Amino acid sequence: MKEVLVKEAYRIAKERYAKVGIDTDKAIEALENIHLSLHCWQADDVTGFENPDGQLSGGIQATGNYPGKARNMEELRADILKAASLIPGTHRLNLHATYGDFGGKFVDRDKIEPKHFKSWIDWGKEHNMKLDFNSTSFSHPKSGMLSLANPDKSIRDFWIEHTKRCRAIAEEMGKAQSDPCIMNLWIHDGSKDQTVNRLYYRELLTDSLNQIFEQPYQNMKDCIEAKLFGIGAESYTVGSYDYYLGYGVKHQKIVTLDTGHFHLTESIADKISCLLLFTPEIMLHVSRPVRWDSDHVTIMNDDTLDLCKEIVRCKALNRVHIGLDYFDASINRIGAYVVGSRATQKCLLQALLEPIEILRKYEAEGKLFERLALLEEDKNLPWNAVYDMFCLKNNVAVGEDFIAEVEKYEAEVTSKR
Ligand code: RNT
Ligand code: ZN
């Protein structure tokens, strides 16, 4: 993209936004301070390094067999760095427990230790990427339909032990990066058909969580992720939204909102202000459900825009952690990373550029036509010139130029795998 054009368009946009009281330089600065948590699992379809031939279980599915998926840690790291080089700003990396550096040996989930993540910590430091973490209860012989809510004590204890160890690993990560590691806990527990024991499994999960969270930590934060249903677990999910909302409020834990984990007409944006009032912080898994929790690549649609606007309108950027969670195996995986991350940033930027003071003044004065009119005109303001400037400032390909870069990496690297 011609630099002079980007600069000229930005000059005009800056003036246009000034008319509605918005400083575009400040919006760029604010966007630079938002660090997305990039999900490591987009590069290899949630395979991990524990058992590269293992099947993905737990009611989630990566569909497609586009060539070039990362087959080992070196490839995964290279792909993540490539993707990050096309996403303006500095970002975090969200690791699952199955992505440890196990040195070619099988290390069972109840045996993982901080040492298995030492090379990730070093790598993160080297590349200016702070780490977040996730326990992994799926894709394992003991996963079944129930993990932390399993009536079989030995299985439940196995997963409790795993999750406790994950918290200890997250604590080490947080300490090493002098910034809390956000640890997400999602389990697939549920049942395909009707159960007559809804309360019982939830009691078991509560007991497991209480044991897991017994140990306090300073350098990690706990998140609990709710879900509506999974494939093969359509009739009942132990960790439903009502369940985790209750647990989160009672025990002051962070509730993770995955945008694919609700009824499709439910507004995730509307949940932000509620959680902010009753839970300490919020974790997001930004995704795109198409007809179900399909984990399509995030795009700049109304759902993502509404969500970002709510965060900014609530002045809650310092209390909301923004992670991505989608896995599309049917297109170039690095491209998918970049499209979803840039789309999220574009939504955040539009939120930061909203003439909120004028809108709120209209609302306070009962000028409802004016409020509606400005909301509509806001959609027409040249936010895209501001995003282009943001890319230019961060030395990242502007606009569609990144497509050629992804293609080049495909030709030179991923197509040879
Ligand atoms: C599954 C949840 C969960 C996973 C990752 C891999 O529905 O969204 O967050 O996608 O942990
Ligand atoms: Zn998720």
PDB file of all heavy atoms in Angstrom, residues 41 184 186 225 256 258 261 285 295 325, ligand 2:
ATOM      1  N   TRP A  41      -4.044 -23.142  19.317  1.00  0.00           N
ATOM      2  CA  TRP A  41      -4.621 -24.329  18.673  1.00  0.00           C
ATOM      3  C   TRP A  41      -5.174 -24.085  17.268  1.00  0.00           C
ATOM      4  O   TRP A  41      -5.579 -25.034  16.609  1.00  0.00           O
ATOM      5  CB  TRP A  41      -5.672 -24.969  19.582  1.00  0.00           C
ATOM      6  CG  TRP A  41      -6.747 -24.067  20.138  1.00  0.00           C
ATOM      7  CD1 TRP A  41      -7.975 -23.843  19.594  1.00  0.00           C
ATOM      8  CD2 TRP A  41      -6.719 -23.325  21.370  1.00  0.00           C
ATOM      9  NE1 TRP A  41      -8.711 -22.989  20.405  1.00  0.00           N
ATOM     10  CE2 TRP A  41      -7.963 -22.659  21.501  1.00  0.00           C
ATOM     11  CE3 TRP A  41      -5.756 -23.145  22.381  1.00  0.00           C
ATOM     12  CZ2 TRP A  41      -8.273 -21.836  22.593  1.00  0.00           C
ATOM     13  CZ3 TRP A  41      -6.070 -22.324  23.466  1.00  0.00           C
ATOM     14  CH2 TRP A  41      -7.305 -21.685  23.564  1.00  0.00           C
ATOM     15  N   ASN A 184      -7.625 -20.643  31.887  1.00  0.00           N
ATOM     16  CA  ASN A 184      -9.009 -20.974  31.596  1.00  0.00           C
ATOM     17  C   ASN A 184      -9.298 -22.451  31.875  1.00  0.00           C
ATOM     18  O   ASN A 184      -8.490 -23.318  31.548  1.00  0.00           O
ATOM     19  CB  ASN A 184      -9.295 -20.668  30.128  1.00  0.00           C
ATOM     20  CG  ASN A 184     -10.767 -20.792  29.788  1.00  0.00           C
ATOM     21  OD1 ASN A 184     -11.606 -20.153  30.420  1.00  0.00           O
ATOM     22  ND2 ASN A 184     -11.091 -21.613  28.811  1.00  0.00           N
ATOM     23  N   TRP A 186     -12.033 -25.150  30.975  1.00  0.00           N
ATOM     24  CA  TRP A 186     -13.238 -25.592  30.262  1.00  0.00           C
ATOM     25  C   TRP A 186     -13.253 -27.111  30.252  1.00  0.00           C
ATOM     26  O   TRP A 186     -12.247 -27.736  29.933  1.00  0.00           O
ATOM     27  CB  TRP A 186     -13.281 -25.075  28.817  1.00  0.00           C
ATOM     28  CG  TRP A 186     -14.393 -25.764  28.068  1.00  0.00           C
ATOM     29  CD1 TRP A 186     -15.728 -25.561  28.242  1.00  0.00           C
ATOM     30  CD2 TRP A 186     -14.266 -26.825  27.105  1.00  0.00           C
ATOM     31  NE1 TRP A 186     -16.444 -26.434  27.441  1.00  0.00           N
ATOM     32  CE2 TRP A 186     -15.567 -27.206  26.735  1.00  0.00           C
ATOM     33  CE3 TRP A 186     -13.180 -27.474  26.531  1.00  0.00           C
ATOM     34  CZ2 TRP A 186     -15.814 -28.217  25.803  1.00  0.00           C
ATOM     35  CZ3 TRP A 186     -13.422 -28.491  25.603  1.00  0.00           C
ATOM     36  CH2 TRP A 186     -14.730 -28.841  25.243  1.00  0.00           C
ATOM     37  N   GLU A 225     -15.147 -21.502  32.041  1.00  0.00           N
ATOM     38  CA  GLU A 225     -15.839 -21.291  30.764  1.00  0.00           C
ATOM     39  C   GLU A 225     -17.101 -22.135  30.637  1.00  0.00           C
ATOM     40  O   GLU A 225     -17.067 -23.361  30.666  1.00  0.00           O
ATOM     41  CB  GLU A 225     -14.891 -21.602  29.597  1.00  0.00           C
ATOM     42  CG  GLU A 225     -15.530 -21.374  28.230  1.00  0.00           C
ATOM     43  CD  GLU A 225     -14.581 -21.687  27.070  1.00  0.00           C
ATOM     44  OE1 GLU A 225     -13.454 -22.158  27.315  1.00  0.00           O
ATOM     45  OE2 GLU A 225     -14.983 -21.458  25.917  1.00  0.00           O
ATOM     46  N   THR A 256     -15.632 -17.025  31.748  1.00  0.00           N
ATOM     47  CA  THR A 256     -15.235 -16.886  30.338  1.00  0.00           C
ATOM     48  C   THR A 256     -16.479 -16.934  29.458  1.00  0.00           C
ATOM     49  O   THR A 256     -17.282 -17.860  29.558  1.00  0.00           O
ATOM     50  CB  THR A 256     -14.284 -18.029  29.927  1.00  0.00           C
ATOM     51  OG1 THR A 256     -13.118 -17.963  30.731  1.00  0.00           O
ATOM     52  CG2 THR A 256     -13.888 -17.921  28.458  1.00  0.00           C
ATOM     53  N   ASP A 258     -17.487 -17.466  25.842  1.00  0.00           N
ATOM     54  CA  ASP A 258     -17.126 -17.862  24.471  1.00  0.00           C
ATOM     55  C   ASP A 258     -18.337 -17.487  23.624  1.00  0.00           C
ATOM     56  O   ASP A 258     -19.465 -17.906  23.916  1.00  0.00           O
ATOM     57  CB  ASP A 258     -16.848 -19.370  24.427  1.00  0.00           C
ATOM     58  CG  ASP A 258     -16.402 -19.841  23.053  1.00  0.00           C
ATOM     59  OD1 ASP A 258     -17.108 -19.536  22.071  1.00  0.00           O
ATOM     60  OD2 ASP A 258     -15.368 -20.520  22.953  1.00  0.00           O
ATOM     61  N   HIS A 261     -20.935 -20.096  22.620  1.00  0.00           N
ATOM     62  CA  HIS A 261     -21.477 -20.996  23.635  1.00  0.00           C
ATOM     63  C   HIS A 261     -22.857 -20.631  24.165  1.00  0.00           C
ATOM     64  O   HIS A 261     -23.201 -20.976  25.291  1.00  0.00           O
ATOM     65  CB  HIS A 261     -20.498 -21.092  24.810  1.00  0.00           C
ATOM     66  CG  HIS A 261     -19.279 -21.890  24.468  1.00  0.00           C
ATOM     67  ND1 HIS A 261     -18.369 -22.321  25.395  1.00  0.00           N
ATOM     68  CD2 HIS A 261     -18.824 -22.352  23.282  1.00  0.00           C
ATOM     69  CE1 HIS A 261     -17.403 -22.998  24.806  1.00  0.00           C
ATOM     70  NE2 HIS A 261     -17.655 -23.018  23.508  1.00  0.00           N
ATOM     71  N   HIS A 285     -13.696 -15.507  24.744  1.00  0.00           N
ATOM     72  CA  HIS A 285     -13.239 -16.349  23.648  1.00  0.00           C
ATOM     73  C   HIS A 285     -14.026 -15.868  22.436  1.00  0.00           C
ATOM     74  O   HIS A 285     -15.202 -16.207  22.283  1.00  0.00           O
ATOM     75  CB  HIS A 285     -13.546 -17.822  23.912  1.00  0.00           C
ATOM     76  CG  HIS A 285     -12.499 -18.516  24.716  1.00  0.00           C
ATOM     77  ND1 HIS A 285     -12.506 -19.862  24.959  1.00  0.00           N
ATOM     78  CD2 HIS A 285     -11.379 -18.041  25.312  1.00  0.00           C
ATOM     79  CE1 HIS A 285     -11.452 -20.186  25.682  1.00  0.00           C
ATOM     80  NE2 HIS A 285     -10.748 -19.090  25.914  1.00  0.00           N
ATOM     81  N   ASP A 295     -17.181 -22.634  15.539  1.00  0.00           N
ATOM     82  CA  ASP A 295     -15.821 -22.109  15.618  1.00  0.00           C
ATOM     83  C   ASP A 295     -15.281 -21.642  14.271  1.00  0.00           C
ATOM     84  O   ASP A 295     -14.126 -21.902  13.925  1.00  0.00           O
ATOM     85  CB  ASP A 295     -14.872 -23.121  16.287  1.00  0.00           C
ATOM     86  CG  ASP A 295     -15.086 -23.176  17.792  1.00  0.00           C
ATOM     87  OD1 ASP A 295     -14.985 -22.129  18.435  1.00  0.00           O
ATOM     88  OD2 ASP A 295     -15.382 -24.268  18.321  1.00  0.00           O
ATOM     89  N   ASP A 325     -10.917 -17.820  19.947  1.00  0.00           N
ATOM     90  CA  ASP A 325     -11.122 -19.263  20.012  1.00  0.00           C
ATOM     91  C   ASP A 325     -11.930 -19.723  18.808  1.00  0.00           C
ATOM     92  O   ASP A 325     -13.155 -19.725  18.837  1.00  0.00           O
ATOM     93  CB  ASP A 325     -11.828 -19.651  21.315  1.00  0.00           C
ATOM     94  CG  ASP A 325     -11.942 -21.171  21.453  1.00  0.00           C
ATOM     95  OD1 ASP A 325     -11.333 -21.883  20.643  1.00  0.00           O
ATOM     96  OD2 ASP A 325     -12.659 -21.633  22.372  1.00  0.00           O
TER      97      ASP A 325
HETATM   98 ZN    ZN B   2     -13.793 -21.369  24.151  1.00  0.00          ZN
END
